mmCIF file of all heavy atoms in Angstrom:
data_model
loop_
_atom_site.group_PDB
_atom_site.id
_atom_site.type_symbol
_atom_site.label_atom_id
_atom_site.label_comp_id
_atom_site.label_asym_id
_atom_site.label_seq_id
_atom_site.Cartn_x
_atom_site.Cartn_y
_atom_site.Cartn_z
ATOM 1 N N LEU A 27 -3.230 87.822 96.531
ATOM 2 C CA LEU A 27 -2.845 86.999 97.666
ATOM 3 C C LEU A 27 -1.411 87.132 97.976
ATOM 4 O O LEU A 27 -1.031 87.112 99.157
ATOM 5 C CB LEU A 27 -3.230 85.489 97.414
ATOM 6 C CG LEU A 27 -4.775 85.217 97.568
ATOM 7 C CD1 LEU A 27 -5.131 83.855 97.192
ATOM 8 C CD2 LEU A 27 -5.201 85.582 98.951
ATOM 9 N N PHE A 28 -0.594 86.979 96.863
ATOM 10 C CA PHE A 28 0.914 87.030 97.072
ATOM 11 C C PHE A 28 1.200 88.448 97.728
ATOM 12 O O PHE A 28 2.142 88.551 98.549
ATOM 13 C CB PHE A 28 1.643 86.899 95.813
ATOM 14 C CG PHE A 28 1.664 85.463 95.347
ATOM 15 C CD1 PHE A 28 1.552 85.032 94.014
ATOM 16 C CD2 PHE A 28 2.192 84.510 96.389
ATOM 17 C CE1 PHE A 28 1.709 83.735 93.654
ATOM 18 C CE2 PHE A 28 2.281 83.141 96.005
ATOM 19 C CZ PHE A 28 2.084 82.849 94.662
ATOM 20 N N ARG A 29 0.611 89.582 97.042
ATOM 21 C CA ARG A 29 0.889 90.904 97.629
ATOM 22 C C ARG A 29 0.496 90.976 99.145
ATOM 23 O O ARG A 29 1.152 91.504 99.951
ATOM 24 C CB ARG A 29 0.210 91.914 96.884
ATOM 25 C CG ARG A 29 0.516 93.249 97.041
ATOM 26 C CD ARG A 29 -0.055 94.276 96.194
ATOM 27 N NE ARG A 29 0.247 95.612 96.769
ATOM 28 C CZ ARG A 29 0.270 96.672 96.141
ATOM 29 N NH1 ARG A 29 0.041 96.692 94.800
ATOM 30 N NH2 ARG A 29 0.484 97.847 96.585
ATOM 31 N N GLN A 30 -0.703 90.456 99.409
ATOM 32 C CA GLN A 30 -1.196 90.550 100.763
ATOM 33 C C GLN A 30 -0.254 89.769 101.776
ATOM 34 O O GLN A 30 -0.178 90.168 102.935
ATOM 35 C CB GLN A 30 -2.724 90.080 100.770
ATOM 36 C CG GLN A 30 -3.633 91.126 100.369
ATOM 37 C CD GLN A 30 -5.131 90.654 100.546
ATOM 38 O OE1 GLN A 30 -5.376 89.546 100.728
ATOM 39 N NE2 GLN A 30 -6.043 91.513 100.337
ATOM 40 N N SER A 31 0.010 88.563 101.263
ATOM 41 C CA SER A 31 0.945 87.761 102.078
ATOM 42 C C SER A 31 2.275 88.460 102.418
ATOM 43 O O SER A 31 2.722 88.382 103.526
ATOM 44 C CB SER A 31 1.121 86.415 101.504
ATOM 45 O OG SER A 31 1.835 86.518 100.358
ATOM 46 N N ARG A 32 2.759 89.182 101.429
ATOM 47 C CA ARG A 32 3.997 89.939 101.511
ATOM 48 C C ARG A 32 3.851 91.115 102.676
ATOM 49 O O ARG A 32 4.542 91.252 103.459
ATOM 50 C CB ARG A 32 4.461 90.526 100.207
ATOM 51 C CG ARG A 32 5.882 91.174 100.371
ATOM 52 C CD ARG A 32 6.106 91.952 99.133
ATOM 53 N NE ARG A 32 5.245 93.103 99.179
ATOM 54 C CZ ARG A 32 4.959 93.829 98.159
ATOM 55 N NH1 ARG A 32 5.656 93.737 97.023
ATOM 56 N NH2 ARG A 32 4.168 94.908 98.199
ATOM 57 N N ASP A 33 2.619 91.747 102.390
ATOM 58 C CA ASP A 33 2.346 92.979 103.256
ATOM 59 C C ASP A 33 2.021 92.334 104.773
ATOM 60 O O ASP A 33 2.462 92.975 105.681
ATOM 61 C CB ASP A 33 1.153 93.650 102.852
ATOM 62 C CG ASP A 33 1.376 94.393 101.555
ATOM 63 O OD1 ASP A 33 2.656 94.638 101.189
ATOM 64 O OD2 ASP A 33 0.381 94.823 100.779
ATOM 65 N N ILE A 34 1.372 91.348 104.974
ATOM 66 C CA ILE A 34 1.040 90.714 106.036
ATOM 67 C C ILE A 34 2.406 90.297 106.790
ATOM 68 O O ILE A 34 2.618 90.460 108.026
ATOM 69 C CB ILE A 34 0.090 89.497 106.044
ATOM 70 C CG1 ILE A 34 -1.176 90.085 105.671
ATOM 71 C CG2 ILE A 34 0.113 88.711 107.345
ATOM 72 C CD1 ILE A 34 -2.303 89.086 105.476
ATOM 73 N N GLY A 35 3.276 89.684 106.072
ATOM 74 C CA GLY A 35 4.537 89.325 106.651
ATOM 75 C C GLY A 35 5.304 90.479 107.118
ATOM 76 O O GLY A 35 6.019 90.496 108.185
ATOM 77 N N ARG A 36 5.388 91.506 106.345
ATOM 78 C CA ARG A 36 6.129 92.844 106.735
ATOM 79 C C ARG A 36 5.489 93.334 107.987
ATOM 80 O O ARG A 36 6.119 93.789 109.000
ATOM 81 C CB ARG A 36 6.071 93.813 105.607
ATOM 82 C CG ARG A 36 6.934 95.017 105.834
ATOM 83 C CD ARG A 36 6.790 96.072 104.750
ATOM 84 N NE ARG A 36 5.485 96.689 104.892
ATOM 85 C CZ ARG A 36 4.744 97.065 103.906
ATOM 86 N NH1 ARG A 36 5.094 96.771 102.668
ATOM 87 N NH2 ARG A 36 3.519 97.543 104.057
ATOM 88 N N LEU A 37 4.119 93.312 108.101
ATOM 89 C CA LEU A 37 3.462 93.865 109.231
ATOM 90 C C LEU A 37 3.689 92.970 110.467
ATOM 91 O O LEU A 37 3.965 93.602 111.553
ATOM 92 C CB LEU A 37 2.001 94.017 109.025
ATOM 93 C CG LEU A 37 1.491 95.083 108.059
ATOM 94 C CD1 LEU A 37 0.001 94.952 107.839
ATOM 95 C CD2 LEU A 37 1.822 96.396 108.604
ATOM 96 N N GLU A 38 3.758 91.711 110.360
ATOM 97 C CA GLU A 38 4.191 90.892 111.402
ATOM 98 C C GLU A 38 5.472 91.141 111.922
ATOM 99 O O GLU A 38 5.817 91.122 113.085
ATOM 100 C CB GLU A 38 3.988 89.339 111.038
ATOM 101 C CG GLU A 38 2.546 88.849 110.932
ATOM 102 C CD GLU A 38 2.470 87.381 110.427
ATOM 103 O OE1 GLU A 38 3.462 86.783 110.072
ATOM 104 O OE2 GLU A 38 1.247 86.900 110.565
ATOM 105 N N GLY A 39 6.461 91.401 110.968
ATOM 106 C CA GLY A 39 7.924 91.747 111.261
ATOM 107 C C GLY A 39 7.936 93.024 112.129
ATOM 108 O O GLY A 39 8.499 93.245 113.171
ATOM 109 N N GLN A 40 7.051 94.062 111.637
ATOM 110 C CA GLN A 40 7.052 95.287 112.390
ATOM 111 C C GLN A 40 6.407 95.149 113.821
ATOM 112 O O GLN A 40 6.936 95.631 114.754
ATOM 113 C CB GLN A 40 6.287 96.395 111.628
ATOM 114 C CG GLN A 40 6.920 96.830 110.404
ATOM 115 C CD GLN A 40 6.102 97.735 109.588
ATOM 116 O OE1 GLN A 40 4.984 97.886 109.848
ATOM 117 N NE2 GLN A 40 6.721 98.335 108.533
ATOM 118 N N ILE A 41 5.422 94.325 113.872
ATOM 119 C CA ILE A 41 4.761 94.092 115.145
ATOM 120 C C ILE A 41 5.651 93.374 116.058
ATOM 121 O O ILE A 41 5.764 93.754 117.431
ATOM 122 C CB ILE A 41 3.454 93.235 115.004
ATOM 123 C CG1 ILE A 41 2.406 94.104 114.305
ATOM 124 C CG2 ILE A 41 2.964 92.714 116.286
ATOM 125 C CD1 ILE A 41 1.069 93.455 114.002
ATOM 126 N N SER A 42 6.598 92.324 115.582
ATOM 127 C CA SER A 42 7.480 91.603 116.401
ATOM 128 C C SER A 42 8.562 92.653 116.828
ATOM 129 O O SER A 42 8.942 92.643 118.068
ATOM 130 C CB SER A 42 8.113 90.554 115.506
ATOM 131 O OG SER A 42 9.168 89.946 116.267
#
Side-chain angles (χ1 to χ4, degrees):
L27 284 175
F28 282 133
R29 184 176 175 158
Q30 283 183 348
S31 66
R32 186 193 67 191
D33 291 344
I34 288 172
R36 191 183 71 222
L37 289 173
E38 285 178 351
Q40 289 176 352
I41 289 172
S42 176

